[in-house]
């Protein structure tokens, strides 16, 4: 039997047949994996509660042709159980999980940086370390960076002229100067761009001291930029409750 074991974060579940579920997970060493949990929807299932979205688990699987089969699960930390108690934090967690799945398109392709980003974001949400919307925007910006789509924030993305610049372009790769700006560029305040840079670099003192209006502006820019590069919207983002 071809068995393997890994650390995983459960991203999504789907019903299969009368009692089974397809579990989509992001693993530390094997990237995104889809596994079948047999009989998990029965009331006597031994590990059904450990395979809910947001659960951090140690998992063993048997390789299959279409789906791998889950044979053993040990709980490490059930972030989902904690976060479901608060609507805002749970909708943000849902957006984080969906984003992680969208940025790991190829199954079994290792994506350690993305795995660590998701774990860190959910841990921060669970522990109330920072304002939830800031955690989401930081995660989205860092996921874009890991995927090779980090927006330019301190200089023009086209001519590299030092900023801050007044315009922000989805097509142009972020901040752009007056001479390089494409049509339909958005205007951006220096404060919003500075906040995005702080979230990308992990300067939480700066982020926590930012004004609400600049947070809202930065969130709008981050969301638009993310959805442009994903080529379609995230189902969970419209449900996110922003402060």
């Amino acid at each position: 039997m071809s068995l393997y074991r890994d650390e995983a974060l459960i991203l999504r579940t789907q019903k299969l047949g009368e009692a089974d579920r397809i579990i989509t997970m992001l693993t530390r060493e094997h990237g995104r994996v889809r596994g079948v949990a047999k009989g998990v929807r029965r009331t006597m299932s031994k590990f059904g509660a450990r395979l809910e979205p947001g659960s951090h688990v140690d998992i063993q699987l048997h390789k299959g042709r279409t789906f791998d089969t889950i044979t053993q699960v040990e709980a490490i930390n059930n972030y989902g159980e904690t976060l479901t108690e608060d609507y805002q934090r749970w909708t943000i967690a849902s957006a984080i999980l969906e984003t992680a799945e969208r940025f790991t398109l190829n199954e079994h392709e290792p994506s350690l940086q993305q795995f660590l980003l998701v774990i860190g974001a959910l841990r921060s949400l669970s522990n109330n370390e920072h304002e939830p919307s800031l955690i989401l925007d930081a995660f989205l910006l860092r996921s874009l960076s890991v995927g090779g789509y980090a927006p330019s924030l301190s200089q023009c993305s086209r001519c590299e002229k030092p900023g801050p610049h007044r315009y922000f372009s989805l097509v142009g790769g972020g901040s752009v100067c007056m001479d390089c700006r494409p049509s339909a560029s958005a205007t951006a305040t220096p404060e919003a761009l500075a906040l995005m840079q702080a979230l990308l670099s992990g300067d939480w003192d700066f982020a926590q001291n930012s004004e609400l209006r600049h947070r809202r502006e930065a969130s709008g820019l981050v969301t638009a930029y993310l959805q442009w590069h994903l080529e379609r919207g995230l189902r969970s983002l419209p449900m996110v409750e922003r402060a």
Side-chain angles (χ1 to χ4, degrees), residues 25 46 55 83 88 111 145 161 168 180 191 231:
M25 66 197 85
K46 294 181 179 180
S55 296
L83 295 171
Q88 184 194 29
S111 185
S145 180
K161 180 180 179 181
F168 189 91
C180 297
E191 292 84 0
E231 297 183 350

PDB file of all heavy atoms in Angstrom, residues 25 46 55 83 88 111 145 161 168 180 191 231:
ATOM      1  N   MET A  25      -7.593  19.791   1.057  1.00  0.00           N
ATOM      2  CA  MET A  25      -6.689  20.246   2.119  1.00  0.00           C
ATOM      3  C   MET A  25      -5.396  20.797   1.526  1.00  0.00           C
ATOM      4  O   MET A  25      -5.017  20.453   0.394  1.00  0.00           O
ATOM      5  CB  MET A  25      -6.378  19.087   3.069  1.00  0.00           C
ATOM      6  CG  MET A  25      -5.579  17.964   2.420  1.00  0.00           C
ATOM      7  SD  MET A  25      -5.619  16.403   3.357  1.00  0.00           S
ATOM      8  CE  MET A  25      -7.146  15.701   2.709  1.00  0.00           C
ATOM      9  N   LYS A  46     -15.320   8.285  13.602  1.00  0.00           N
ATOM     10  CA  LYS A  46     -14.295   8.562  14.598  1.00  0.00           C
ATOM     11  C   LYS A  46     -13.585   9.896  14.374  1.00  0.00           C
ATOM     12  O   LYS A  46     -13.076  10.489  15.316  1.00  0.00           O
ATOM     13  CB  LYS A  46     -13.264   7.424  14.614  1.00  0.00           C
ATOM     14  CG  LYS A  46     -13.819   6.092  15.082  1.00  0.00           C
ATOM     15  CD  LYS A  46     -12.734   5.035  15.087  1.00  0.00           C
ATOM     16  CE  LYS A  46     -13.270   3.686  15.569  1.00  0.00           C
ATOM     17  NZ  LYS A  46     -12.227   2.642  15.572  1.00  0.00           N
ATOM     18  N   SER A  55      -9.580  23.245  10.212  1.00  0.00           N
ATOM     19  CA  SER A  55      -8.903  22.328  11.131  1.00  0.00           C
ATOM     20  C   SER A  55      -7.466  22.089  10.685  1.00  0.00           C
ATOM     21  O   SER A  55      -7.198  21.831   9.515  1.00  0.00           O
ATOM     22  CB  SER A  55      -9.644  20.984  11.187  1.00  0.00           C
ATOM     23  OG  SER A  55     -10.936  21.139  11.714  1.00  0.00           O
ATOM     24  N   LEU A  83     -13.298  30.032  15.474  1.00  0.00           N
ATOM     25  CA  LEU A  83     -13.676  31.183  14.653  1.00  0.00           C
ATOM     26  C   LEU A  83     -15.160  31.221  14.322  1.00  0.00           C
ATOM     27  O   LEU A  83     -15.699  32.287  14.039  1.00  0.00           O
ATOM     28  CB  LEU A  83     -12.844  31.181  13.366  1.00  0.00           C
ATOM     29  CG  LEU A  83     -11.341  31.396  13.586  1.00  0.00           C
ATOM     30  CD1 LEU A  83     -10.566  31.157  12.302  1.00  0.00           C
ATOM     31  CD2 LEU A  83     -11.075  32.804  14.114  1.00  0.00           C
ATOM     32  N   GLN A  88     -17.732  37.855  11.923  1.00  0.00           N
ATOM     33  CA  GLN A  88     -16.721  38.558  11.129  1.00  0.00           C
ATOM     34  C   GLN A  88     -15.471  37.711  10.948  1.00  0.00           C
ATOM     35  O   GLN A  88     -14.955  37.563   9.837  1.00  0.00           O
ATOM     36  CB  GLN A  88     -16.341  39.891  11.785  1.00  0.00           C
ATOM     37  CG  GLN A  88     -15.349  40.692  10.927  1.00  0.00           C
ATOM     38  CD  GLN A  88     -14.701  41.846  11.680  1.00  0.00           C
ATOM     39  OE1 GLN A  88     -14.532  41.783  12.899  1.00  0.00           O
ATOM     40  NE2 GLN A  88     -14.322  42.888  10.965  1.00  0.00           N
ATOM     41  N   SER A 111       3.725  23.661  -1.709  1.00  0.00           N
ATOM     42  CA  SER A 111       3.524  25.112  -1.578  1.00  0.00           C
ATOM     43  C   SER A 111       3.668  25.475  -0.104  1.00  0.00           C
ATOM     44  O   SER A 111       2.714  25.878   0.556  1.00  0.00           O
ATOM     45  CB  SER A 111       2.142  25.510  -2.111  1.00  0.00           C
ATOM     46  OG  SER A 111       1.976  26.904  -2.108  1.00  0.00           O
ATOM     47  N   SER A 145       2.047  38.035  -3.285  1.00  0.00           N
ATOM     48  CA  SER A 145       3.500  38.090  -3.376  1.00  0.00           C
ATOM     49  C   SER A 145       4.090  36.698  -3.601  1.00  0.00           C
ATOM     50  O   SER A 145       4.969  36.506  -4.448  1.00  0.00           O
ATOM     51  CB  SER A 145       4.075  38.710  -2.103  1.00  0.00           C
ATOM     52  OG  SER A 145       5.480  38.788  -2.161  1.00  0.00           O
ATOM     53  N   LYS A 161      10.062  55.000 -11.201  1.00  0.00           N
ATOM     54  CA  LYS A 161      10.239  56.321 -10.592  1.00  0.00           C
ATOM     55  C   LYS A 161       9.794  56.266  -9.137  1.00  0.00           C
ATOM     56  O   LYS A 161       8.714  55.756  -8.829  1.00  0.00           O
ATOM     57  CB  LYS A 161       9.419  57.356 -11.360  1.00  0.00           C
ATOM     58  CG  LYS A 161       9.536  58.768 -10.817  1.00  0.00           C
ATOM     59  CD  LYS A 161       8.678  59.734 -11.644  1.00  0.00           C
ATOM     60  CE  LYS A 161       8.750  61.155 -11.105  1.00  0.00           C
ATOM     61  NZ  LYS A 161       7.900  62.076 -11.911  1.00  0.00           N
ATOM     62  N   PHE A 168      -3.153  54.067  -9.046  1.00  0.00           N
ATOM     63  CA  PHE A 168      -2.980  52.633  -8.804  1.00  0.00           C
ATOM     64  C   PHE A 168      -3.674  51.897  -9.943  1.00  0.00           C
ATOM     65  O   PHE A 168      -4.868  52.103 -10.196  1.00  0.00           O
ATOM     66  CB  PHE A 168      -3.587  52.232  -7.457  1.00  0.00           C
ATOM     67  CG  PHE A 168      -3.272  50.821  -7.033  1.00  0.00           C
ATOM     68  CD1 PHE A 168      -2.145  50.558  -6.265  1.00  0.00           C
ATOM     69  CD2 PHE A 168      -4.083  49.765  -7.410  1.00  0.00           C
ATOM     70  CE1 PHE A 168      -1.837  49.262  -5.875  1.00  0.00           C
ATOM     71  CE2 PHE A 168      -3.794  48.465  -7.020  1.00  0.00           C
ATOM     72  CZ  PHE A 168      -2.669  48.214  -6.252  1.00  0.00           C
ATOM     73  N   CYS A 180       3.014  57.222 -16.748  1.00  0.00           N
ATOM     74  CA  CYS A 180       2.855  55.810 -17.122  1.00  0.00           C
ATOM     75  C   CYS A 180       1.453  55.271 -16.883  1.00  0.00           C
ATOM     76  O   CYS A 180       1.157  54.130 -17.259  1.00  0.00           O
ATOM     77  CB  CYS A 180       3.851  54.946 -16.336  1.00  0.00           C
ATOM     78  SG  CYS A 180       5.582  55.293 -16.679  1.00  0.00           S
ATOM     79  N   GLU A 191      -1.259  57.461   2.153  1.00  0.00           N
ATOM     80  CA  GLU A 191      -1.496  56.735   3.405  1.00  0.00           C
ATOM     81  C   GLU A 191      -1.988  55.310   3.155  1.00  0.00           C
ATOM     82  O   GLU A 191      -1.587  54.368   3.852  1.00  0.00           O
ATOM     83  CB  GLU A 191      -2.517  57.485   4.264  1.00  0.00           C
ATOM     84  CG  GLU A 191      -2.034  58.821   4.807  1.00  0.00           C
ATOM     85  CD  GLU A 191      -2.191  59.969   3.818  1.00  0.00           C
ATOM     86  OE1 GLU A 191      -2.676  59.734   2.685  1.00  0.00           O
ATOM     87  OE2 GLU A 191      -1.836  61.099   4.183  1.00  0.00           O
ATOM     88  N   GLU A 231      -8.740  36.410 -11.886  1.00  0.00           N
ATOM     89  CA  GLU A 231      -9.596  36.434 -13.077  1.00  0.00           C
ATOM     90  C   GLU A 231     -11.072  36.209 -12.789  1.00  0.00           C
ATOM     91  O   GLU A 231     -11.890  36.255 -13.691  1.00  0.00           O
ATOM     92  CB  GLU A 231      -9.100  35.431 -14.130  1.00  0.00           C
ATOM     93  CG  GLU A 231      -7.704  35.755 -14.643  1.00  0.00           C
ATOM     94  CD  GLU A 231      -7.248  34.813 -15.730  1.00  0.00           C
ATOM     95  OE1 GLU A 231      -7.926  33.797 -15.972  1.00  0.00           O
ATOM     96  OE2 GLU A 231      -6.198  35.090 -16.335  1.00  0.00           O
TER      97      GLU A 231
END
